Amino acid sequence: MPFEKRVPIRGKAEDRRRTEPDLKVATVDQNADSTVAAVWEGRRCRGVQTVWHTRENAKREKALRKVARKQKRSGRPVKGERSNAGLWRYISGLDTALAWQIAAAILAWAVAAGVQVLVFEYLRPYRPLRGLSWSRRVNRKRSYWLRGRVLERVRHLALCQGILTVERNPAWTSQACPRCSHLGERFSPGERAYPSGFRCGHCGWTGDANVVAVLNLKRKWNRTFRYPTAEEKRAAEPSRRRKAGAAASREGSPETVGANARSADAPAA
Ligand SMILES: [Zn+2]
């Protein structure tokens, strides 16, 4: 049933950053079998929420394996005829439902936490991996497509609630250490084969690999949208120095101390 709703929007992130430097931000990272979101208050992380969809991912792969098996048995596909129509309908239904479920879970949580901006990763076109079976390859692709569909639904749902959606470049967000920005490595805690842990060889920070991306994504938000950015601070510096004259050298020191404290200030997650 189509409906209309008037939503007051107070402007884009770019317009609001000067007047509201402390917008309540939540960062969201989408993986193949989980979606992780973190809510922030200034520079502190106030909570992490994970939506698991491991089971749905496995279900999709199982259905795709069935498609492959049936196709193999029946030989060459008939031209102009859709094979395994029922199975494909099941798969696309699964994806549609899952996209809505994830989007709704994120939104419900964001509204409850009073979030004003949702920061997502900018999704690049999918690059297929070599050396996988057909069903695995297709499953990977579809789970990647799912991220785009979740993002689209979140954008609409968020707009209805007056929440902004922003996308940032995801480069290095899952490899860099959230504390010192050096490249870290994944490891598997205990005997589990899947490398779900993250360790930094430089400063020794360890944590959940899924959380690393949301912590780093917040820094990307800060760098562009948190007023004043490091660049704006630098631009403001010479004029102050000119005005202050001799006091410039004294004024320079707290600034550098502040900058150091800022870079060392890691989320206590
Ligand atoms: Zn580190």
Side-chain angles (χ1 to χ4, degrees), residues 177 179-182 200 202-205:
C177 169
R179 192 193 282 163
C180 70
S181 302
H182 282 80
C200 173
H202 188 77
C203 72
W205 188 90

Side-chain angles (χ1 to χ4, degrees), residues 5 7-9 107 111 115 156-164:
K5 182 183 171 186
V7 188
I9 300 293
L107 241 288
V111 169
V115 170
H156 292 160
L157 292 174
L159 195 65
C160 288
Q161 304 291 338
I163 299 172
L164 294 170

Side-chain angles (χ1 to χ4, degrees), residues 80-100:
E81 204 176 288
R82 192 91 166 93
S83 59
N84 295 304
L87 273 171
W88 282 114
R89 212 164 34 238
Y90 166 75
I91 292 167
S92 83
L94 185 83
D95 281 342
T96 308
L98 191 54
W100 277 119

Side-chain angles (χ1 to χ4, degrees), residues 3 5 18 31 96 112 187 197 199 209 260 266:
F3 70 94
K5 182 183 171 186
R18 274 162 197 277
N31 305 301
T96 308
F187 70 99
R199 186 192 297 125
N260 285 343

